[in-house]
Amino acid sequence: MTTPQKITLTVNGTTHEAQVEPRTTLADLLRGELALTGTHVGCEHGVCGACTVLLEGRAVRSCLTLAVQVDGANLTTVEGLEQDGELHPIQQAFVEEHGLQCGFCTPGFLMTVHELLRESPDPSEDEIRDALGGQLCRCTGYQSILRSVRLAATKLRNAHVAGTPQHS
């Protein structure tokens, strides 16, 4: 028998406390306890990337991360990208370039692209493909996803040059 543990974490700027079993995954905590269902669970083996979230700014698979491991951490889920009802430039680029497909894998792609473009604002084709290598799209819409990433990079660079506020 295991004893639930109390954890505190900040998700999308909101602090939460939860009692979790030691084997509860972060994906289950986000979806079941915190009602943040934008994080999808696909393979539950870390292969498909649908469950990707940002943990201290780094993309991680929430299906492979235990909730107790994020005690005290800051997380961003896909729900945290939009600000004041306005889509994040990455989300807008996916809309404009039809990178959404059925939408199941989209949250994982968006969070992975967020990390990529923060670290490499003008990524090469190889960098984009390498970053997305762990994300699976069952609709096989990779060409539109690649166009979406290129457009997102342009949008974020232009926003930075123009000095307009951009989502972090």
Side-chain angles (χ1 to χ4, degrees):
M1 181 158 191
T2 58
T3 304
Q5 297 181 16
K6 180 181 175 185
I7 64 168
T8 302
L9 65 159
T10 302
V11 184
N12 304 328
T14 302
T15 301
H16 300 272
E17 290 184 356
Q19 291 281 337
V20 297
E21 296 289 330
R23 301 288 301 165
T24 301
T25 67
L26 176 57
D28 288 341
L29 173 68
L30 292 170
R31 292 181 57 82
E33 294 289 323
L34 304 182
L36 295 169
T37 57
T39 301
H40 292 168
V41 178
C43 66
E44 297 186 72
H45 297 286
V47 176
C48 73
C51 67
T52 303
V53 298
L54 299 179
L55 171 59
E56 304 295 350
R58 305 292 303 184
V60 299
R61 304 289 204 247
S62 63
C63 74
L64 297 180
T65 304
L66 297 174
V68 295
Q69 292 175 295
V70 300
D71 186 21
N74 289 302
L75 292 110
T76 305
T77 67
V78 70
E79 291 93 343
L81 291 182
E82 65 90 16
Q83 298 288 314
D84 300 322
E86 183 178 325
L87 292 177
H88 187 281
I90 296 171
Q91 293 171 306
Q92 188 61 43
F94 271 68
V95 169
E96 291 175 23
E97 289 294 339
H98 307 286
L100 300 172
Q101 307 297 313
C102 78
F104 186 82
C105 64
T106 303
F109 274 97
L110 295 174
M111 303 317 288
T112 299
V113 170
H114 190 282
E115 180 186 41
L116 168 68
L117 297 181
R118 189 189 65 246
E119 292 182 357
S120 180
D122 190 15
S124 69
E125 189 73 16
D126 287 343
E127 287 176 310
I128 295 171
R129 289 177 182 267
D130 185 56
L132 299 181
Q135 304 300 126
L136 297 180
C137 172
R138 293 185 177 110
C139 300
T140 65
Y142 291 102
Q143 292 305 314
S144 58
I145 291 170
L146 291 171
R147 286 193 309 272
S148 300
V149 176
R150 288 186 218 107
L151 179 59
T154 300
K155 284 179 175 286
L156 288 170
R157 284 193 312 272
N158 289 345
H160 181 71
V161 169
T164 56
Q166 64 179 0
H167 303 289
S168 56

